[in-house]
Amino acid sequence: MGLKISDSAKTQCGNFKLFVVLMATNDPKMHDRFVSWDSVEFVREPRYCEAEPSSSAGGIEPEIELRKYAGYMETIANLGFSFKEDAEVPLAQAQIQVSNNKNGALTLHGVNGYKVAEYDNLKDRTSYDDDWNSRNLPPSPVYTTDFRFTEAKLADSVQNFDVDAFWVVIGPSFNEITGDDFYAVTLSKKDIADANGVRPLEIIYYKK
């Protein structure tokens, strides 16, 4: 088919994940009606890499490395989750809270000055290789730049918190240079609500 790989990261070593996306259609007006993708992970050893350029160009957004965590929380009105404590805590100490309506839909809330928004990765329909979710996590190492967001869309809450996307959580002390007060979170599991309507949740999140 004449396919080839354009490797823009040939100076880098480490762990990589290669995505293959196949698109087909029977509708000339919709080129990606049927989409299928697969991936493979591999390691590029140092001996295969070119030396990194010695000059540092200005204006390049820094890549702040993030670590992956798993957490547990419930949809209880006076509790929330603290990324700083890595645990469910009283609401006054939390950064996020999740509420559950009568239909079972979840809403993610930022609390105590924190704002939330769904990440922008899904909006680029020409590229599927960074559409992260709870089943397709970004390959390590993970950086703040793996979770794009629009500052103007940050809000106190966002509906439809679920397993199929990531959400960014931005705090009052957010610093885009250092990555402080930046978090990315997705839902990994939601259990059935109890008699009081409380629903146990498991989350995956990234922080510096």
Side-chain angles (χ1 to χ4, degrees):
M1 297 176 65
L3 301 178
K4 65 179 181 178
I5 295 177
S6 178
D7 185 2
S8 61
K10 62 184 179 182
T11 62
Q12 299 178 11
C13 294
N15 299 322
F16 290 82
K17 194 169 188 178
L18 176 66
F19 292 87
V20 179
V21 182
L22 304 176
M23 289 180 285
T25 185
N26 56 9
D27 183 349
K29 295 182 179 179
M30 185 184 299
H31 299 291
D32 57 352
R33 184 171 182 180
F34 308 105
V35 178
S36 177
W37 65 272
D38 203 348
S39 64
V40 60
E41 296 186 11
F42 63 94
V43 178
R44 176 180 285 140
E45 297 180 4
R47 67 177 183 271
Y48 298 119
C49 299
E50 295 180 4
E52 291 286 353
S54 59
S55 61
S56 57
I60 298 177
E61 187 175 355
E63 290 189 329
I64 308 302
E65 189 167 346
L66 305 175
R67 292 171 292 167
K68 174 189 167 189
Y69 295 82
Y72 171 88
M73 63 186 300
E74 296 177 303
T75 57
I76 299 178
N78 63 346
L79 295 179
F81 192 85
S82 170
F83 297 123
K84 298 179 179 180
E85 301 294 331
D86 300 312
E88 189 173 51
V89 296
L91 191 60
Q93 303 169 24
Q95 286 82 55
I96 61 168
Q97 183 188 52
V98 178
S99 62
N100 181 46
N101 69 15
K102 62 181 181 181
N103 297 320
L106 300 173
T107 297
L108 176 66
H109 305 268
V111 296
N112 300 313
Y114 283 76
K115 302 288 185 179
V116 295
E118 186 175 357
Y119 75 153
D120 284 343
N121 298 38
L122 291 172
K123 296 175 183 176
D124 181 4
R125 302 321 302 167
T126 62
S127 175
Y128 298 90
D129 62 353
D130 64 353
D131 292 356
W132 317 124
N133 54 56
S134 63
R135 298 173 298 278
N136 179 36
L137 298 174
S140 180
V142 177
Y143 302 100
T144 53
T145 50
D146 289 322
F147 304 100
R148 303 191 301 274
F149 70 98
T150 303
E151 189 172 356
K153 295 185 178 179
L154 291 170
D156 293 329
S157 63
V158 61
Q159 298 179 344
N160 300 318
F161 179 60
D162 217 319
V163 300
D164 56 352
F166 264 89
W167 284 259
V168 294
V169 182
I170 304 297
S173 302
F174 170 62
N175 186 315
E176 62 182 5
I177 304 299
T178 64
D180 293 340
D181 238 3
F182 175 94
Y183 308 95
V185 60
T186 187
L187 181 68
S188 62
K189 184 179 180 182
K190 50 184 178 181
D191 287 331
I192 298 174
D194 63 17
N196 297 317
V198 176
R199 198 166 188 178
L201 308 173
E202 294 179 20
I203 59 174
I204 297 171
Y205 60 98
Y206 290 88
K207 69 175 185 177
K208 190 174 79 165

